[in-house]
């Protein structure tokens, strides 16, 4: 990616860091052209850039993490699959006449282990996003997903899902085709599968669109991803009749990985390279691969019966929390 292209997708809070890095690169280039040794100065500026990077990314607000989760250069499901899989064969169709481009899946081999991987797929630019329906699956997408998961269960292959959607397609046509039924069917079936299931939020996990492939033995989140019952914009519009209050809604919704880990809704947080997964996508993929294999090894040591029991108990506990007097409430 050249600098001009990177500038187009620069987030506001990234600008000071980008300007400092551009300055370092300019000094390095001028020094080389004039045969001047500026190693000491470059080292000092590099340390300053690293400190600034830590300062920015350690203090991100929920709204800023949402911006990172939606970053157009953030790695997608297919990006991660192509980076971590030794072999990959994409499968198509819901066996009902439709192949949803917003939800992709197929058979892969990672670290010598065959498995089925599926996930939401957003586009990289406007044209691609329109083709992918902005990562919002139709009912056929969830029916394709359950077909692939049933295939995995039948052949005793683990299931890995990547969640990255603002929500399921909310169009009238989707409702006519049974959107709610398709998602509900997936929820029920995923609880019944014998094989290990790992669900990872890699970007934006929104509403029932995320839950449709989100029932697993392990729920993981990348550090700068979000997981929420509704987008902050929708929440603000509903509660305050003002979508501009989305930053306030993002804080109230507890959408970040740290918030959800504290609430025991997710199992663990996958760290991202400094600056976010979009800055060093290959490094992010390596970390993701290592985490997935570790969790698969752990889950594979359990019996199918034990996994299903723990899966059920895990989701039954969601919604239990402690008030200020340490008395739990269960809704």
């Amino acid at each position: 990616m050249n600098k001009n292209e990177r500038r187009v997708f620069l987030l506001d809070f990234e600008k000071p860091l980008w300007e400092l890095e551009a300055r370092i690169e300019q000094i390095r280039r001028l020094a080389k052209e004039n045969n001047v040794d500026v190693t000491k100065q470059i080292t000092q500026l590099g340390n300053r850039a690293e400190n600034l990077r830590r300062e920015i990314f350690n203090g991100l607000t929920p709204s800023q993490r949402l911006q990172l989760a939606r970053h157009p250069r953030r790695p997608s499901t297919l990006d991660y699959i192509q980076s971590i899989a030794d072999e990959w064969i994409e499968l198509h169709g819901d066996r009902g006449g439709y192949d949803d481009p917003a939800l992709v899946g197929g058979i892969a081999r990672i670290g010598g282990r065959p498995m089925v991987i599926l996930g939401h797929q957003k586009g990289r630019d406007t044209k691609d996003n329109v083709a992918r329906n902005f990562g919002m699956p139709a009912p056929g997408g969830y029916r394709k997903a359950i077909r692939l998961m049933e295939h995995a269960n039948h052949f005793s292959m683990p299931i890995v899902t990547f969640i990255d959607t603002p929500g399921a397609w909310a169009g009238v046509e989707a409702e006519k085709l049974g959107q709610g039924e398709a998602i509900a069917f997936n929820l029920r079936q995923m609880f019944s599968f014998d094989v290990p299931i790992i669900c990872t939020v890699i970007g934006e996990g929104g509403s029932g669109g995320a839950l449709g492939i989100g029932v697993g033995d392990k729920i993981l989140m990348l550090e700068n991803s979000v997981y929420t019952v509704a987008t902050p914009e929708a929440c603000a519009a509903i509660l305050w009749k003002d979508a501009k209050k989305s930053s306030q809604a993002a804080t109230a919704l507890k959408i970040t990985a740290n918030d959800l880990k504290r609430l025991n809704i997710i199992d663990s947080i996958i760290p991202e390279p400094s600056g976010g997964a979009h800055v060093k996508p290959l490094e992010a993929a390596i970390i993701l691969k290592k985490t997935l294999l570790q969790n698969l090894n752990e889950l594979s040591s359990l019996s199918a019966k034990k996994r299903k029991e723990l899966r059920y108990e895990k989701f039954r506990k969601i919604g239990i929390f402690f008030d200020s007097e340490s008395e739990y409430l269960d809704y």
Side-chain angles (χ1 to χ4, degrees), residues 78-211:
L78 288 176
D79 290 331
Y80 280 124
I81 291 174
Q82 290 164 5
S83 296
I84 69 177
D86 306 317
E87 299 178 60
W88 161 248
I89 301 174
E90 185 175 353
L91 302 177
H92 298 273
D94 64 348
R95 294 297 184 264
Y98 183 62
D99 179 41
D100 191 348
L103 202 153
V104 299
I107 301 173
R109 190 184 299 273
I110 299 178
R113 298 191 60 162
M115 62 188 71
V116 164
I117 305 179
L118 53 101
H120 305 101
Q121 180 64 34
K122 292 181 178 179
R124 188 64 69 199
D125 52 31
T126 301
K127 181 179 179 181
D128 196 19
N129 260 318
V130 170
R132 297 281 183 182
N133 198 31
F134 295 85
M136 298 185 292
Y142 291 103
R143 290 175 180 134
K144 173 169 69 173
I146 201 64
R147 178 178 75 82
L148 297 181
M149 288 189 278
E150 288 173 342
H151 177 89
N153 192 58
H154 180 77
F155 290 100
S156 300
M157 291 187 288
I159 298 168
V160 172
T161 75
F162 293 142
I163 297 168
D164 186 18
T165 180
W169 181 34
V172 174
E173 191 64 22
E175 295 303 318
K176 287 181 179 179
L177 295 172
Q179 184 74 286
E181 183 274 339
I183 293 174
F185 184 78
N186 282 21
L187 295 176
R188 186 187 73 180
Q189 292 301 100
M190 290 184 80
F191 277 108
S192 71
F193 291 147
D194 293 326
V195 297
I197 306 174
I198 299 177
C199 307
T200 305
V201 184
I202 62 172
E204 185 178 10
S207 191
L211 288 176

Side-chain angles (χ1 to χ4, degrees), residues 227-228 249-256 259-260 262-263:
Y227 199 20
T228 176
T251 301
L253 283 168
K254 307 297 182 186
I255 64 176
T256 68
D259 287 328
L260 295 167
R262 283 194 293 269
L263 292 169

Side-chain angles (χ1 to χ4, degrees), residues 222-235:
L222 288 179
E223 182 181 356
N224 293 312
S225 59
V226 298
Y227 199 20
T228 176
V229 68
T231 64
E233 293 86 353
C235 176

Side-chain angles (χ1 to χ4, degrees), residues 33-87:
E33 291 174 357
N34 294 279
N35 197 26
V36 177
D37 184 9
V38 292
T39 304
K40 184 178 180 180
Q41 292 86 341
I42 291 294
T43 301
Q44 291 174 343
L45 287 172
N47 291 336
R48 188 188 303 177
E50 186 58 34
N51 290 335
L52 179 59
R53 183 180 290 106
R54 281 197 295 266
E55 179 183 339
I56 290 173
F57 287 90
N58 288 342
L60 292 177
T61 66
S63 181
Q64 288 171 330
R65 291 202 186 275
L66 177 62
Q67 291 179 58
L68 280 178
R70 293 172 172 172
H71 198 290
R73 291 293 170 185
R74 190 168 177 85
S76 67
T77 291
L78 288 176
D79 290 331
Y80 280 124
I81 291 174
Q82 290 164 5
S83 296
I84 69 177
D86 306 317
E87 299 178 60

